[in-house]
Amino acid sequence: MSAPLPMPVLGPDQVLTALRALRDRQPVRFSAFYSSQFGGVVTDPALMVLPFDDHMVHRGHGIFDTAGLVNGRIYDLEAHLDRFLVSAERSKLTLAGSRQAMREIIIRTAAASGVRDGSIRYWLSSGPGNLDLTPAAGAEPGFFVMVFGGLTYPARWYSDGLKVMTTTYPIKPPLYAVTKSTNYLPNVLMQMEAKAAGMDNGVFIDDRGFVGESSNMNIACVTADGVLRHPRFAGVLAGCTSQRLLDLAGALVTGGALPGVEVCDIPVAAARAAREMLLLGSSIKVAPVVEWDGQPIGSGSPGPVARALLALLEEDMRTGDRLIDVPY
Ligand SMILES: Cc1ncc(COP(=O)(O)O)c(C=O)c1O
């Protein structure tokens, strides 16, 4: 038997080489990363790292949010920052700076990235110091900003619609569902389960038999009476896209295309009998669901409300009053 090889103890140059090799084996589209722990931005993905003992890494004690970059402007950042602060408070995290300071860092990281279309995701972490549960004595909260290409979905989701399944995984209890923490295990497992079953995504149903949400998207329905209905935000994430669309849909009501809009509990049976079912979110925008658990939704084809809402959202993202110019 040969003697076991000694475990190499590496120096900084070797670690950097290893981190670069990791990125070479698996290239990523990350354009800029700000870390409060560095005090600045890096553009080399090999350097986009966190200390392992940050409690966001080993305990999931962190929160995040994502805003879109559209034509060199940031869309709806204030709404995403509002939710970020609410998530921080619910998670008992200390802010890494004022809202104004974090907002400024997000905008300046976007500028440093040069990216004009993509996403900006930012995190607040509990900070490093030990491997306990509660924050270490003197832990400095971390603030991180990543500018990347954004999540992309198949064109067919918009042209033909998605097929979804009811997940076998339980929905998060309300406190955790409404907090955008880095604990996405149920969401990850739901999406993996759906993909393994040949579906596009999953649907969480709550304990009372009402429609919840999807993996990283909200769900809405145009019920049999033609009304656009969205689940109450007490047990699902308060999607910035959903909230904006519920406002924008007012134009469809005024124009006569929709009899009404309502935020309410949606029983599964009402959703199964809906004319249209929609997935809503910053990354997916508005996409029609055409099949749920093997049964068609409505006609089994994308419907007019999905198309109209997508057009309203895209218009708002191009020319609305919720855009911030990035000073490239
Ligand atoms: C679980 C969950 N629900 C809903 C959404 C939709 O939220 P938003 O429209 O702000 O992207 C997201 C995405 O952030 C999410 O992760």
Side-chain angles (χ1 to χ4, degrees):
M1 238 172 69
S2 59
L5 288 173
M7 177 61 74
V9 176
L10 309 174
D13 291 350
Q14 290 158 301
V15 170
L16 188 55
T17 303
L19 287 171
R20 290 232 162 84
L22 181 72
R23 297 314 196 176
D24 287 344
R25 290 197 296 278
Q26 188 187 40
V28 287
R29 288 173 61 219
F30 302 153
S31 303
F33 175 72
Y34 167 87
S35 164
S36 61
Q37 294 164 345
F38 302 163
V41 166
V42 291
T43 55
D44 177 349
L47 303 177
M48 298 177 180
V49 294
L50 258 66
F52 181 80
D53 57 326
D54 193 310
H55 286 210
M56 183 167 80
V57 177
H58 64 92
R59 295 292 186 188
H61 195 190
I63 56 146
F64 72 105
D65 220 297
T66 313
L69 252 175
V70 189
N71 286 330
R73 294 191 286 184
I74 306 176
Y75 177 62
D76 216 6
L77 180 59
E78 306 306 341
H80 286 277
L81 272 177
D82 287 346
R83 186 171 66 187
F84 189 69
L85 295 188
V86 169
S87 293
E89 199 179 333
R90 288 199 179 112
S91 307
K92 303 203 185 304
L93 285 165
T94 307
L95 294 184
S98 67
R99 176 195 175 112
Q100 184 57 27
M102 290 189 289
R103 181 183 186 277
E104 210 41 49
I105 289 168
I106 290 168
I107 295 171
R108 285 167 52 199
T109 306
S113 76
V115 171
R116 301 188 69 83
D117 289 282
S119 287
I120 312 172
R121 187 166 295 171
Y122 40 96
W123 293 259
L124 178 66
S125 80
S126 170
N130 62 29
L131 297 178
D132 288 358
L133 285 108
T134 52
E140 290 178 26
F143 183 58
F144 312 97
V145 183
M146 178 73 90
V147 181
F148 66 114
L151 306 185
T152 49
Y153 300 112
R156 132 186 106 68
W157 283 15
Y158 303 90
S159 55
D160 304 350
L162 291 96
K163 296 180 180 184
V164 298
M165 63 176 278
T166 303
T167 182
T168 62
Y169 293 99
I171 192 170
K172 289 176 184 170
L175 170 66
Y176 305 119
V178 301
T179 304
K180 202 162 165 61
S181 80
T182 51
N183 296 246
Y184 261 52
L185 185 59
N187 314 56
V188 169
L189 292 175
M190 170 166 81
Q191 206 173 63
M192 290 178 76
E193 177 184 49
K195 284 188 178 171
M199 300 285 139
D200 297 312
N201 216 333
V203 175
F204 283 122
I205 305 297
D206 75 17
D207 301 342
R208 301 158 309 152
F210 297 128
V211 173
E213 59 186 337
S214 187
S215 55
N216 54 336
M217 307 153 190
N218 287 109
I219 297 176
C221 296
V222 180
T223 46
D225 56 2
V227 172
L228 174 64
R229 292 197 159 84
H230 192 290
R232 295 187 308 114
F233 294 105
V236 298
L237 192 74
C240 298
T241 316
S242 286
Q243 301 197 37
R244 186 64 183 143
L245 280 168
L246 289 167
D247 271 355
L248 295 173
L252 301 180
V253 176
T254 311
L258 263 186
V261 176
E262 195 186 358
V263 175
C264 58
D265 289 328
I266 306 175
V268 167
R272 290 201 192 278
R275 293 184 192 177
E276 293 185 48
M277 188 167 169
L278 319 168
L279 294 181
L280 315 171
S282 301
S283 54
I284 196 168
K285 299 189 180 80
V286 181
V289 172
V290 295
E291 193 183 299
W292 180 11
D293 291 338
Q295 300 298 316
I297 294 291
S299 65
S301 308
V305 177
R307 273 193 293 276
L309 288 178
L310 180 58
L312 283 171
L313 185 67
E314 285 183 331
E315 176 72 13
D316 197 49
M317 294 173 84
R318 271 195 312 269
T319 61
D321 57 4
R322 296 186 168 207
L323 294 161
I324 297 171
D325 284 321
V326 175
Y328 292 101

